[in-house]
């Protein structure tokens, strides 16, 4: 058994040698309170940093049973540990030479609590942490003493300050465990209560800025449910709580500009993920199957049946098997809806700010000017009811611009200075008094789209001499082989580590799943099953430190945005 002391001797011995000699430190080293695994040693000081793991057995990191189980509780605690480790690592890391020398880094969680590979509380006790280190060098010469200082002194200190239960006030650990469990529980009871979303009284929805996801500090108006929509829930830890329950059906969020409509919708979009204590949105949750829909002109579309929304395009272009490298605002939005339905969406979330106007409304006067025969679009206003009645798919729609929606809404919420009011009665009365004069344009009921079957060649990860090349850049870009997937408008993708994981899932689809017979939905089921059984490591055997869990909808979004996606035409 190699010990920390052995590692130190080795580092002293290779001091001053060329960088490749670092390869010798790969492997397992037993420290007094943890085991250090050096999984990957970087090739030079400027390359991607080395990957390390610290494994703390239950005796070293005795997290209480109720912090580890059930899994939802552990996830809350893991968020806290990863945040703390990431923050402290940045401070502990020091420039110790060239390139990334001396850097210590952990994938830092944002304002969502996601299953991640960075920190894992083990069900039987103990912790595993994964992180990056830049092994020190001067130029390309190993700085063995610096490395020893870093791995044998700084790292154990970092571990003891961030990965042991004794490093935290017990109440804080419990708060994180309980909050996360409560949020998941709350999401879990929505359906039986007939709800699709819930926002707690007292929640804080606005964020600091468009690029800063922390809660707005000054002048934030806390959420307060209208009386008529207020429901009481009982959470396992918090006990009784009240808030606005949004029932299944068609819900309109109206209100004047700048009164907080989009802020509410955005919180509901993010409500598919849990949030840590102090975020303000801990108890704002939506069904996991809630999918944001927007216009996304310019995206490619492959073999999607958009005929429920768009028919008879100019030039006789087929819309029951619609493909284009460059969709318009309305066709992209129609494709986004049909793809979401195919992946199993239960709720559609739309905001007029990011929707195509002609996709959303077509008023009486316009119907008179441009006859049905010359307008390919069946506007969403003529589909929202049927989505719910025929398919059970609810809609939550921000719409301050058209009262035509009063006729199809089950309820209308008006935001007034950031406070929601139930104005359903008033909207009904107005709808009676002022008929729109519109003719409904939907040609028939909605049906779930038939399953599309992607060809395996849809994904080709090869690039030059490399058989497999995969890179992800930031939150929005995945490069598979020579293809670039643009996820800029996939708004419920919230973490760069999710993006990395989605990229790997595309590879998994290519490697094991797409066979010219499986449908998109079946392929998504396959990946979800793998993740449920084996966790994120099912996506990559290298024990990567920076992966986070995504939903089937994010993977579907990436697959559907591949410009090389090929769908087998129906009946062939
Ligand atoms: P709308 O969609 O109705 O035009 P937004 O949701 O975009 O309005 O909100 C307008 C502004 O008000 C944003 O800068 C937002 O951060 C802020 N805001 C939203 N909700 C609140 C709130 N509850 N308290 C304080 N400020 C808020
Ligand atoms: Mg808005």
């Amino acid at each position: 058994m190699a010990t920390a002391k052995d590692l130190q001797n080795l580092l002293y011995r290779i001091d001053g040698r060329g960088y490749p000699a670092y390869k010798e430190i790969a492997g397992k080293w037993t420290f007094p309170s943890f085991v250090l695994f050096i999984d990957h040693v970087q090739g030079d000081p400027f390359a991607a940093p080395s990957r390390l793991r610290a494994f703390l057995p239950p005796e070293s990191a005795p997290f209480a049973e109720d912090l580890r189980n059930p899994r939802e509780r552990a996830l809350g605690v893991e968020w806290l540990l990863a945040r703390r480790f990431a923050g402290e690592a940045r401070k502990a890391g020091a420039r110790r030479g060239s390139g990334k020398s001396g850097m210590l880094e952990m994938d830092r969680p944002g304002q969502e609590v996601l299953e991640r590979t960075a920190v894992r509380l083990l069900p039987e006790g103990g912790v595993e942490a994964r992180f990056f280190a830049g092994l020190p060098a001067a130029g390309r010469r190993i700085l063995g003493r610096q490395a020893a200082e870093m791995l044998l002194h700084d790292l154990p200190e970092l571990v003891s300050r961030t990965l042991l239960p004794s490093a935290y006030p017990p109440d804080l650990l419990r708060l994180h465990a309980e909050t996360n469990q409560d949020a998941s529980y709350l999401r879990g009871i929505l359906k039986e209560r007939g709800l699709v979303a819930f926002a707690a009284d007292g929640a804080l929805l606005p964020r600091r800025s468009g690029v800063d996801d922390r809660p707005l500090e000054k002048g934030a108006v806390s959420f307060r449910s209208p009386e008529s929509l207020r429901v009481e829930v009982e959470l396992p830890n918090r006990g009784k709580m009240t808030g606005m329950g949004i029932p299944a059906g068609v819900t309109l969020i109206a209100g004047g500009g700048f009164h907080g409509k989009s802020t509410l919708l955005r919180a509901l979009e993010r409500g598919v993920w849990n949030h840590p204590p102090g975020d303000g949105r801990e108890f704002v949750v939506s069904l996991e199957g809630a999918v944001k829909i927007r216009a996304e002109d310019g995206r490619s579309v492959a073999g999607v049946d958009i005929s429920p929304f768009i028919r008879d395009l100019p030039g006789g272009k087929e819309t029951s098997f619609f493909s284009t490298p460059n969709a318009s605002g309305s066709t992209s939005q129609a494709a986004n809806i049909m793809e979401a339905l195919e992946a199993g969406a239960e709720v559609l979330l739309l905001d007029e700010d990011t929707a195509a106007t002609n996709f959303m409304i077509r008023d009486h006067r316009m119907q008179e000017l441009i006859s049905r025969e010359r307008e390919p679009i069946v506007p969403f206003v003529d589909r929202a009811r049927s989505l719910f009645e025929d398919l059970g798919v609810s809609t939550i729609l921000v719409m301050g611009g058209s009262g035509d929606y009063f006729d199809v809404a089950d309820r209308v919420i008006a935001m007034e200075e950031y406070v929601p009011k139930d104005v359903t009665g008033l909207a009904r009365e107005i709808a009676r008094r002022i008929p729109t004069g519109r003719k409904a344009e939907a040609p028939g009921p909605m049906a779930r789209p038939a399953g599309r079957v992607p060809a395996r060649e849809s994904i080709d990860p090869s690039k030059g001499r490399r058989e497999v090349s995969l890179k992800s850049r930031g939150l929005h870009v995945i490069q598979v082989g020579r293809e670039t997937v643009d996820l800029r408008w996939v708004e419920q993708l919230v973490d760069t580590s999710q993006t990395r994981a989605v990229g790997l899932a595309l590879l998994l689809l290519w490697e094991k799943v797409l066979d010219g017979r499986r449908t998109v939905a079946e392929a998504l089921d396959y990946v979800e099953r793998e993740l449920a059984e084996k966790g994120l490591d099912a996506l990559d055997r290298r024990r990567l430190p920076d992966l986070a869990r995504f939903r089937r909808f994010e993977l579907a979004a990436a697959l559907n945005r591949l410009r090389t996606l090929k769908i087998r035409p129906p009946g062939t």
Side-chain angles (χ1 to χ4, degrees), residues 306-314 317 319 372-373 375-378 383 441-444:
I306 56 169
S307 63
F309 293 100
I310 297 178
R311 304 173 311 160
D312 317 318
L313 283 177
K317 199 163 161 55
T319 63
R372 175 68 193 95
E373 295 71 50
E375 173 53 87
I377 302 171
V378 178
R383 283 303 195 189
E441 295 181 338

Side-chain angles (χ1 to χ4, degrees), residues 256-263 266 351-353 398:
F258 226 65
H259 277 254
K261 303 184 295 296
S262 297
T263 302
R266 208 161 301 125
D351 190 327
E352 61 184 344
D353 290 352
V398 167

Side-chain angles (χ1 to χ4, degrees), residues 124-186:
E124 60 280 12
V127 184
E128 187 199 67
R130 302 180 181 182
F131 48 95
F132 298 101
L135 299 172
R140 288 193 157 73
R141 227 139 271 296
I142 288 177
L143 291 173
R145 282 167 192 280
Q146 298 270 13
E149 177 75 14
M150 178 176 167
L151 296 178
L152 286 106
H153 178 264
D154 297 357
L155 178 62
E157 202 174 287
L158 178 60
V159 165
S160 70
R161 266 187 293 138
T162 62
L163 298 180
L164 305 183
S166 56
Y168 300 87
D171 290 353
L172 186 65
L173 290 169
R174 208 169 316 112
L175 176 67
H176 279 261
E178 292 182 355
T179 302
N180 200 59
Q181 184 185 30
D182 279 348
S184 294
Y185 175 87
L186 182 56

Side-chain angles (χ1 to χ4, degrees), residues 379-392:
F380 191 77
V381 68
D382 287 323
R383 283 303 195 189
R385 281 243 63 81
S386 142
L387 274 166
F388 183 57
E389 280 158 20
D390 303 328
L391 305 182

